[in-house]
Structure formats: C-alpha cells, structure tokens
Amino acid sequence: MNTESDDRNHYKQIQVLVERYEKCLKEGTSSYFEVDQFTSIIEYYQQFGSLDHALNVADAALEMHPFTSLLLLKKAQVHIDLNQNKLAEEFVEKAVAINGRDVDSTIVEIQILVAQEKFEIAEQMIFDIMEKVEEEEKVELYYELSDLYEIWGKFDEELDCLSKLCFSTQSDSDALKRTIMFIDFHNRHEDGIKLFKSLIEENAYNHLAWHNLGLCYMGLELFEKALDAFSYSIAIKDDFEPSIRESAEAHFELANFQKALEFYLESAALSSYADESLYYSLGYTHYHLNNFQKAIFYLKKAIEIDDTYDDAYHLLGKVYQARGSLKKALSNYHKAIQMNEDNPEYLESFAVLSFKTENPQTAVEYFLKAIEAAPQNINMWIKLSKCYYELDYFSESYDVIHQALDVFENEVDLLYIGALSLYKLGKIQSSNEMLTLALTSDYQAHTILYDWDEKLITKNGIMTLIDQYRNMSL
C-alpha cells in the first residue's frame, strides 16, 4: 500500500520535473523528457486548472514523441477538460489508428460520453468492456464507473462500485482513500461502517480499513468508538501517522486535552514535513491546557508556514486575550479579519474586546458587521443591544431588539431585553406589556434580566410583575 509519505515524495518529484520543464521554456533551451514524464507534467497542470499549459505540454510531447498513442489520449483528455469534445474524439481516433482500440482508448471515449452527459451509453460501454478484460484492467474501469455515477448523481451505485474496488485484490490503498472521501462528502458514515467492518472480517490486519472505520465513527461523533478503531490501526502499523493524528482529534473532541497533546506530538515527530494545521492543533490544545506560552509558540510556527492562516491569527488573539495582552489580541483579531472579512466569529471577537478596551464606537461598527455576516445568529443582536445599553444608549438598544424581533419573532430573550430598554426610556406601560408577554411565554428565562441590570430589577416595579408570575408558575 502507498503511504502518505510516498504520496508526498511522488508529488515533490513531479514538482521538480515541472520546474525543469518551465526552466527550459524560460531559457529557450531543449531537454529530453520521457513519455511518462510528459504525462506527469500534463496531469500536474490539469490538476491546477492550467489547461492552456497542459495543452502546450501535450503539443511539445508529441513533437518529441510523435505517433505515441498514450500522448494522443492525454491530449484528448485535455480537450475534454476544455469542453472541446469534437477535438478530443479526433485525437482518440488517431490513437486507435496507431495502437488499436484498447482499454486506455475506451476509457477516454467513455470520458467524452460523460462530458456530453450521455450517461446510459457510457455505463453500457463500461459493462460491455468489463466482460472482455482481465481483472487487473477492471480496476481502472471501476474507477471510471464511480466517476460516472458521481457526475450522474447515482450515489448508491457509486458506493456499490467503490465497495467492489475496496474488495478487489488488484486495487491498492487508493480505493480505500477514495471511498472514505465519498463517505465523508455524502455523509454515508453508517454505510461506511458496514463496509469497513466487512473488509476487516476478510482481513483483520488491514490497518487502513480500521483507520477508515474510525473516520466513519468520527463523522457520527462517536469518538470513543473512533479511538478504539484507530488503536487497532496503530497496533497493526505503529507508525501510521494518520491514525495517530486522528486519535489526537478524537481526544480533543472528548476534552481529553493532555492525551490529545501526546498524540499530536507523536504525529509531529512522525511527520516528514512542516504542517501548519498540526501546529495549529498543538497551539489550540496548549490553549485549553492554559499553557499560553507554548500555544503562542506553535501558532506562530503555523503562521510562519502560512502567513494567511486566518484561524491561527484568531486563536493567537484569544491566547493573548487570555494572558491579558489586549493590544496584541486586538492586533491578531484584526489580522484574521483582514484575511477573512466576513467571518462572524472574528468580527465578534474584535467587537467584544474593543468594547472591553473602551472603544465603543469600534465595537458597534464590528457588531454591525458581524450581524450583516450572520443575521441568523441571535447572540450577535443581543451583544450589540447590550453594547448600546451599557453606554446608556437605550433608544439604540431597543431599536436593535425591535429589528431582531423581525428576524426571531417572539424570541423570549429579546422580549425581556426589549422590556428593560423600554423601561429605561420611560415607556413603562410598553415595558410592562413586553415583560408580561415574555413572562407568559417562558418565566424561567427571566434570569437574563439580572445579567443585564440587577439593580434596576430589584429597585423598581418590575420585581412586582416578576413575583406575580412566579406565584402563577408554582
């Protein structure tokens, strides 16, 4: 089975190859490339959507290796990506003329049919050719069939196809990886549990099947079961970093932060390259353990790798705020917002801390932005109203509640807060009417009044109305 490390090494080799090719282009020099090297470069550009570059490489490849059917088919695939299906057909015909019709040319013909949304014809063509080929060649056809079903929207059939791939003795870890991606994307975790348990019954030492079983449990938030599955994966292959990393994630979700830290550190020790998300996770875990200096260290490491990592800037702000370094906290919140200006959590953090640091105008500005970004988040409305209330802007405080009630009709917390603002404005009758409606709807929720203005509640007639409904609720 290919490991994640193998995948990274292969990708690095492709990058070196692409750099060599681009250097030749830039310098106007020539260099010899094998057919498989050209195909790798073409696929690299296809992966990143640089289709014009991919087409140019295909042309250069055919100049160096004319009448090579594999390169003709590769060029046909680029034309498919460019929605140039007629040209794609022409290059398939050229490949067939040179090498005859084989599985590779048939696959590209199928891809053209799929691009034309001729799904039934493509499906039947796959079924027909499967009857004529060896088991090893069927694997590639099953991949094409699963792609067809994904585009066609036949997800039950796609899962069945992927399941056959997983059980095929000719397939490798790619089938298992692809299957778990499908399961996660389509939320088919219960189906995944059945599939991977069946694979484990067939081969109890399949560490990747145990790992995928754990991922399915993670998707269902069954973290204890996930940990059990990951532990079997690690017992079979003790240096399998993905299961170690996921064990850390499961412990983190269970708030077992010390255990999570142990697994994250083991994952870091096994990783052969710097991973900003792992550094972030280490920082987040140290934050929960109140190890603020270490949290800062790892979050800065994450930002060194990716200086646009908005989550890391935001968490760094939270760490500095917890330490009492409020200016640094504000600075990092602001950097997070610069990276992602519509994130309501970032906007809220900046607004709340701006208010605490006696910058109410900025606080109001960012609460308004947070509401615009997430109008269905009632807490944003409540916090903005409280911001105005604590500034003695009772009219503005009530206006916010009035607007919020248009979004959250008869939401009881809003009614209680609105009643307070109306009382402060001297509109006693309207205040009592709104308070009565709130008490009638949910008496127990009246405790929010004490959080907002305990002195007002205990020293005025509001208490009389509350007591009246207390007696009614007994």
Side-chain angles (χ1 to χ4, degrees), residues 26 33 47 65 86 100 114 144 197 200 207 227-229 232-233 265 268 277 292 302 324 363 369 386 420 434 444:
K26 186 177 180 181
F33 291 89
Q47 180 183 354
H65 303 279
K86 194 68 180 173
V114 172
E144 291 301 322
K197 280 186 173 180
I200 290 164
H207 74 280
L227 281 169
D228 287 342
Y232 281 106
S233 175
L265 288 171
S277 65
F292 298 135
K369 288 181 179 181
K386 190 166 188 179
L420 282 180
M434 187 169 279
Q444 299 299 330

Side-chain angles (χ1 to χ4, degrees), residues 76 79 84-94 112 116 118:
H79 282 300
Q84 297 170 345
N85 297 317
K86 194 68 180 173
L87 284 170
E89 289 172 352
E90 292 175 10
F91 280 96
V92 172
E93 289 173 7
K94 290 179 181 179
I112 293 170
Q116 296 170 333
K118 297 178 180 179

Side-chain angles (χ1 to χ4, degrees), residues 110-387:
I110 291 164
Q111 291 170 349
I112 293 170
L113 290 170
V114 172
Q116 296 170 333
E117 297 187 358
K118 297 178 180 179
F119 301 125
E120 292 90 347
I121 299 173
E123 181 186 41
Q124 190 57 51
M125 185 179 289
I126 293 172
F127 290 156
D128 290 343
I129 195 172
M130 273 188 176
E131 295 178 358
K132 304 172 185 176
V133 299
E134 300 295 329
E135 282 299 315
E136 185 175 352
E137 292 176 313
K138 284 183 180 180
V139 170
E140 194 61 37
L141 290 167
Y142 273 123
Y143 278 120
E144 291 301 322
L145 188 58
S146 68
D147 284 342
L148 184 155
Y149 287 137
E150 176 68 28
I151 296 168
W152 199 353
K154 290 195 167 188
F155 303 125
D156 288 340
E157 289 84 351
E158 183 179 2
L159 181 58
D160 182 61
C161 185
L162 290 169
S163 298
K164 289 176 181 177
L165 271 171
C166 288
F167 279 101
S168 171
T169 56
Q170 299 296 330
S171 64
D172 58 18
S173 63
D174 288 343
L176 285 162
K177 291 175 183 177
R178 187 158 168 171
T179 302
I180 194 61
M181 286 174 64
F182 167 87
I183 286 166
D184 277 339
F185 186 80
H186 294 287
N187 292 315
R188 301 287 291 264
H189 299 102
E190 291 180 356
D191 291 322
I193 289 169
K194 293 176 185 176
L195 168 61
F196 297 123
K197 280 186 173 180
S198 296
L199 284 168
I200 290 164
E201 285 177 9
E202 188 172 280
N203 178 10
Y205 294 96
N206 186 337
H207 74 280
L208 198 53
W210 281 108
H211 177 74
N212 284 2
L213 178 62
L215 291 177
C216 289
Y217 284 129
M218 290 287 282
L220 295 172
E221 298 186 359
L222 300 172
F223 302 118
E224 295 283 3
K225 288 188 174 183
L227 281 169
D228 287 342
F230 295 138
S231 71
Y232 281 106
S233 175
I234 296 166
I236 296 164
K237 187 174 174 58
D238 62 6
D239 62 347
F240 189 55
E241 190 271 338
S243 284
I244 293 167
R245 176 87 167 258
E246 290 296 336
S247 295
E249 299 286 348
H251 279 298
F252 187 94
E253 293 293 340
L254 291 166
N256 298 331
F257 299 119
Q258 190 60 49
K259 288 294 294 183
L261 180 60
E262 292 171 14
F263 278 100
Y264 279 133
L265 288 171
E266 187 176 354
S267 173
L270 288 169
S271 295
S272 59
Y273 71 109
D275 183 343
E276 67 272 25
S277 65
L278 179 54
Y279 286 140
Y280 176 88
S281 296
L282 281 162
Y284 206 179
T285 307
H286 277 298
Y287 169 72
H288 280 288
L289 291 168
N290 294 323
N291 300 331
F292 298 135
Q293 194 58 45
K294 288 185 177 179
I296 291 168
F297 170 78
Y298 283 113
L299 291 170
K300 285 186 173 181
K301 294 270 283 185
I303 292 167
E304 282 177 14
I305 298 169
D306 180 2
D307 62 2
T308 65
Y309 199 166
D310 52 310
D311 278 335
Y313 283 114
H314 180 251
L315 181 54
L316 191 54
K318 290 175 70 173
V319 175
Y320 278 125
Q321 185 171 346
R323 285 186 61 183
S325 304
L326 303 187
K327 286 185 179 180
K328 287 184 177 180
L330 282 170
S331 174
N332 281 280
Y333 288 150
H334 193 258
K335 286 177 183 175
I337 292 168
Q338 287 178 315
M339 308 298 170
N340 187 351
E341 60 184 14
D342 294 323
N343 186 300
E345 185 181 3
Y346 302 169
L347 295 165
E348 180 188 6
S349 294
F350 192 78
V352 169
L353 188 53
S354 293
F355 189 81
K356 287 181 178 178
T357 54
E358 300 181 356
N359 196 344
Q361 187 173 353
T362 301
V364 168
E365 177 189 351
Y366 279 85
F367 273 129
L368 287 169
K369 288 181 179 181
I371 288 171
E372 185 178 354
Q376 296 300 320
N377 187 334
I378 191 172
N379 289 324
M380 302 294 189
W381 295 87
I382 290 173
K383 287 178 179 179
L384 175 58
S385 180
K386 190 166 188 179
C387 180

